[in-house]
Amino acid sequence: MKRLAKLFLISVVSIFLLVLPLQAAGTIKIGAIFPITGPLATFGTSCANGAKMAIEEVNLRGGVLGSKIELLVEDDQYKPEEAANAAKKLIERDKVVALIAEVTSSVTLVVAPIAQQSKIVLLTPTATNPKVTQVGDYIFRACFIDDFQGEVMANFVYKNLKLKTAAILTAVTSDYSKGLAQFFKQKYTALGGKIVAEESYSEGDSDFRAQLTKIKAAKPEFVYVPGYYADVGPILLQARELGITVPFGGGDGWDSPVLLQTAGKAAEGCFFSNHYSPDSKELVVQTFVKNYQKKYGTTPDALAALAYDAAKLLVDAINRAGSTDSSKIRDALAATKGFRGVTGVITFDANRNPIKSAVIIEIKGGKQVYRATVKP
Amino acid sequence: MVDILQQIINGISLGSIYALIALGYTMVYGILRLINFAHGDIFMVGAFIGYFALGSWNLPFALGLVIAMIGASVVGMIIERFAYRPLRTAPRISLLITAIGVSFLLENLMVLIVGASPRSFPQSIPVDIYNIGGLILTNRQIIILLISILLMILLQFIVMRTKIGKAMRAVSQDKEMALMLGINIDSVIAFTFALGSALAAAGGVLVGLYFNKIEPYMGVMPGLKAFVAAVLGGIGIIPGAMLGGFILGIAEILVSAFISSTVRDAVAFIILIIILLVRPSGLLGKYMREKV
């Protein structure tokens, strides 16, 4: 009941806001919500850095529609309730014209209905679960979806690595993890591979030995762990301690320097699918990597690249819309075609998902090494 | 067969950690009749002190462990002095609510100081893996088991054989009477908190070493589970806490091994409900009628 009342209040307020004339002068505000602290801190920080850099570049060139852009970044600590509060605050109080939010699928699924209700464009840089953009026609993403990412890994494991049996260890508390596991399994079994064990854990657990002991008994040639780095590190360590020597693999949730630090040698020879590799020779990637390193002193991971692309996509849409009216921004963003981003050429399909390629990264010598590019 | 044995080994390692935390719970309850909900957070504070002692100063593991235990004792005594002592004559529920408040305070204070991100614990004891006919055992599992048994024996000795232990038992039986006989209740209770906190800190450091991950909220779940372990064994009884810890650890691992890892956390609380219904005084506890 309380929730209904809240929703009602939000809709009333947002209708009220829509009626108000938009301020023409001053800055154009874009909101961003990321988990800058908490268990996914490196994800949130990378995204915030990437988005900030993109906006700074735009402002240096005079902004868009004759005004500068102001990026308002909120931290949600990877807590859905904090993210919801931040979204309401950004929309109602700060009156942002669009949102770049959130990193994870689970939290984006909480924020997206709020943006949809208020008819504010929400562009998530990194939420890969298919359900995210199904929330409504104001929800977009800058990354590929889990159907594709799961299939890419299944193909790679079955065809390139030639491993015919696999085990899956899923985080039951994460929509992202469940989605990836499902699509990996579908594709892998369709190719002729066999899933010999399926286990699960809750995010934030610290003891995975029971599940890993079961996986070990099933003798898989490959273990798929589509989780986030904070859990994957301890999982890899405990797996190696229990004597599981086969390669592990995962999705873009593995893309954090923290994984290499915690897991160390345990991560050697593992693979994960990702959105881009900083090793790419393309000019747009090289320029981005160089500028990012100059500004922040680290090599940008895929999250930074995606957030950078997301911010640029949004500015491009505002520019083509010729207005900060949210329905016009929405239409312009949906019409994006052949946008050259750091993470590939972006064209939105009818479901507001971009069609783009993925890369496979191998962990080798304590570093992320580019292994292959897979086109859709 | 090897798998079942392996799972039991996993369970014993987990159980010995629950046991260490449960010891502190049980001791404080035995003396003050207070369920110290901040105990799980003292465990976390201990882990962080150990983290800095081992990581920043590069001390040997044993020394780091001792420093963490001493540091946590001090924290425990401060909490007792400022949060619990002023409420000693207040209704028990006020004390309980204060304990929950202290728990939140410690968690958020730690988030403020070190941030909410998980950190990997310094690996000051390298892993040695022993393979006995397919059964995997690591030196860390053995160390954890030995340290917890050793600390339990030490605790039992302090409580049963020393003068301060005798005073603790006296205070637990009748505070006013103990006071009349010249026992300094304040210092006995402070000592109890120090001892319990030291054990929790030892648990924290061992958990850091074993799971290689610490963060400010790491004490919440183990704290609740250790509470269940203490109730299971009979709250207030030292060997009972140890027994409860082991049973709980093994039960949890066996459930995730043979039923489903999804219901793992539920097991502890199902056990709690059953024990409260069937045998409220715990496995080793004697049923005592409340005097009216």
Side-chain angles (χ1 to χ4, degrees):
Chain A
M1 215 34 231
K2 216 169 163 187
R3 197 163 172 182
L4 273 178
K6 246 186 216 167
L7 284 178
F8 178 72
L9 194 73
I10 295 166
S11 12
V12 169
V13 169
S14 42
I15 289 165
F16 183 63
L17 290 180
L18 284 176
V19 180
L20 281 177
L22 282 162
Q23 60 222 83
T27 56
I28 296 174
K29 286 179 184 166
I30 294 179
I33 309 167
F34 301 126
I36 294 168
T37 60
L40 301 182
T42 76
F43 285 178
T45 313
S46 287
C47 279
N49 285 348
K52 274 183 205 155
M53 189 170 117
I55 299 297
E56 272 170 32
E57 287 179 15
V58 170
N59 283 341
L60 270 181
R61 286 195 214 109
V64 65
L65 306 179
S67 10
K68 298 265 195 233
I69 298 175
E70 193 183 341
L71 185 72
L72 305 171
V73 184
E74 296 277 336
D75 175 19
D76 66 30
Q77 306 173 22
Y78 187 38
K79 288 181 184 160
E81 65 278 12
E82 296 284 335
N85 287 339
K88 284 174 200 158
K89 174 184 165 269
L90 287 169
I91 294 172
E92 289 164 20
R93 214 173 75 197
D94 299 318
K95 303 192 173 42
V96 296
V97 301
L99 283 173
I100 303 176
E102 212 262 359
V103 170
T104 65
S105 299
S106 296
V107 179
T108 310
L109 280 167
V110 173
V111 182
I114 300 173
Q116 179 66 31
Q117 287 259 343
S118 317
K119 301 244 180 295
I120 290 283
V121 169
L122 181 140
L123 173 60
T124 166
T126 57
T128 46
N129 191 295
K131 280 186 260 169
V132 169
T133 44
Q134 289 161 13
V135 169
D137 58 347
Y138 277 79
I139 314 302
F140 295 76
R141 74 176 105 220
C143 50
F144 49 61
I145 55 176
D146 288 337
D147 308 34
F148 176 60
Q149 191 176 189
E151 282 177 17
V152 161
M153 204 61 197
N155 264 321
F156 178 76
V157 172
Y158 192 84
K159 291 183 184 156
N160 296 43
L161 299 178
K162 299 196 172 26
L163 302 175
K164 311 290 184 208
T165 55
I168 302 179
L169 181 57
T170 321
V172 280
T173 42
S174 152
D175 293 313
Y176 159 81
S177 187
K178 283 190 288 187
L180 270 186
Q182 181 198 336
F183 298 114
F184 175 85
K185 186 182 166 187
Q186 270 173 19
K187 184 70 183 177
Y188 192 69
T189 43
L191 286 168
K194 220 177 132 204
I195 304 291
V196 290
E198 280 181 79
E199 292 296 321
S200 64
Y201 65 93
S202 305
E203 287 167 284
D205 276 359
S206 41
D207 187 27
F208 306 96
R209 285 179 173 82
Q211 295 94 314
L212 289 168
T213 302
K214 269 172 95 180
I215 287 177
K216 189 189 175 196
K219 297 196 174 57
E221 294 174 284
F222 177 79
V223 184
Y224 191 52
V225 190
Y228 293 124
Y229 67 89
D231 298 317
V232 172
I235 288 176
L236 290 177
L237 279 173
Q238 291 176 22
R240 300 305 184 217
E241 271 182 26
L242 284 168
I244 306 177
T245 50
V246 299
F248 279 59
D252 51 344
W254 282 38
D255 186 16
S256 168
V258 171
L259 178 64
L260 299 176
Q261 285 161 23
T262 44
K265 276 202 198 101
E268 280 296 296
C270 292
F271 301 91
F272 65 94
S273 50
N274 210 350
H275 304 268
Y276 105 122
S277 165
D279 302 339
S280 163
K281 294 284 168 291
E282 277 189 66
L283 182 67
V284 51
V285 178
Q286 283 314 312
T287 324
F288 167 71
V289 171
K290 207 175 73 202
N291 291 342
Y292 190 95
Q293 275 171 338
K294 204 156 78 192
K295 192 165 162 55
Y296 300 110
T298 52
T299 307
D301 50 21
L303 293 114
L306 284 170
Y308 178 86
D309 278 357
K312 285 279 175 92
L313 271 169
L314 210 49
V315 171
D316 176 62
I318 295 174
N319 194 24
R320 280 186 289 114
S323 145
T324 53
D325 177 64
S326 47
S327 69
K328 286 191 181 132
I329 297 178
R330 194 216 81 86
D331 294 343
L333 189 59
T336 302
K337 212 167 206 156
F339 176 89
R340 282 208 73 84
V342 174
T343 58
V345 180
I346 296 168
T347 301
F348 284 110
D349 67 9
N351 301 316
R352 299 164 305 283
N353 297 319
I355 307 154
K356 57 204 278 203
S357 50
V359 296
I360 301 283
I361 305 273
E362 181 178 0
I363 299 172
K364 212 171 170 182
K367 278 201 187 93
Q368 293 189 5
V369 181
Y370 168 80
R371 178 77 185 250
T373 300
V374 188
K375 293 217 159 59
Chain B
M1 191 57 207
V2 171
D3 292 331
I4 298 175
L5 281 178
Q6 182 71 58
Q7 295 289 19
I8 289 176
I9 290 178
N10 296 340
I12 291 175
S13 317
L14 186 66
S16 45
I17 289 162
Y18 288 156
L20 265 184
I21 314 173
L23 285 174
Y25 256 117
T26 240
M27 228 172 42
V28 170
Y29 182 84
I31 302 226
L32 277 186
R33 297 284 178 273
L34 160 70
I35 295 167
N36 182 13
F37 275 112
H39 194 66
D41 301 290
I42 301 269
F43 155 86
M44 174 273 295
V45 170
F48 271 96
I49 298 175
Y51 169 87
F52 288 112
L54 295 171
S56 312
W57 307 335
N58 284 317
L59 298 174
F61 181 75
L63 197 58
L65 184 70
V66 171
I67 288 179
M69 289 171 77
I70 294 172
S73 317
V74 173
V75 175
M77 284 193 287
I78 292 173
I79 291 170
E80 193 275 328
R81 175 67 189 82
F82 293 104
Y84 301 147
R85 193 177 297 177
L87 290 172
R88 203 172 286 159
T89 50
R92 224 185 278 168
I93 190 80
S94 317
L95 215 57
L96 197 66
I97 294 168
T98 309
I100 295 171
V102 171
S103 158
F104 285 140
L105 177 73
L106 287 178
E107 280 162 24
N108 291 297
L109 209 59
M110 205 45 115
V111 171
L112 199 69
I113 299 171
V114 299
S117 315
R119 289 156 184 258
S120 58
F121 201 79
Q123 300 298 296
S124 46
I125 298 181
V127 196
D128 274 329
I129 297 167
Y130 313 111
N131 190 333
I132 309 156
L135 209 62
I136 309 281
L137 201 61
T138 67
N139 55 341
R140 287 183 187 170
Q141 288 173 316
I142 298 170
I143 290 171
I144 289 175
L145 186 64
L146 288 183
I147 292 184
S148 28
I149 291 178
L150 200 74
L151 287 174
M152 190 201 81
I153 294 172
L154 190 68
L155 185 65
Q156 188 74 350
F157 177 79
I158 292 177
V159 174
M160 291 302 172
R161 295 267 183 275
T162 62
K163 205 172 166 197
I164 181 85
K166 205 180 235 174
M168 283 163 74
R169 281 179 289 143
V171 172
S172 88
Q173 280 174 7
D174 191 333
K175 274 202 221 69
E176 280 85 40
M177 194 54 165
L179 191 63
M180 273 192 267
L181 293 174
I183 293 171
N184 184 345
I185 296 190
D186 284 346
S187 58
V188 168
I189 290 176
F191 179 76
T192 309
F193 267 87
L195 208 57
S197 304
L199 290 174
V205 173
L206 293 176
V207 160
L209 186 75
Y210 187 52
F211 296 137
N212 186 30
K213 189 176 87 176
I214 61 169
E215 41 114 7
Y217 299 107
M218 67 184 278
V220 179
M221 234 0 175
L224 285 175
K225 286 182 181 164
F227 169 64
V228 175
V231 173
L232 176 62
I235 194 148
I237 303 162
I238 288 169
M242 201 78 185
L243 181 71
F246 282 121
I247 293 178
L248 193 62
I250 294 171
E252 221 178 82
I253 291 276
L254 290 184
V255 163
S256 42
F258 298 106
I259 299 173
S260 161
S261 34
T262 321
V263 297
R264 174 179 182 154
D265 284 341
V267 175
F269 304 107
I270 294 172
I271 291 180
L272 178 65
I273 293 170
I274 294 174
I275 202 85
L276 287 177
L277 287 176
V278 180
R279 207 182 150 83
S281 51
L283 293 177
L284 299 187
K286 290 192 196 76
Y287 181 69
M288 268 188 288
R289 209 172 281 269
E290 286 266 331
K291 275 185 224 134
V292 188

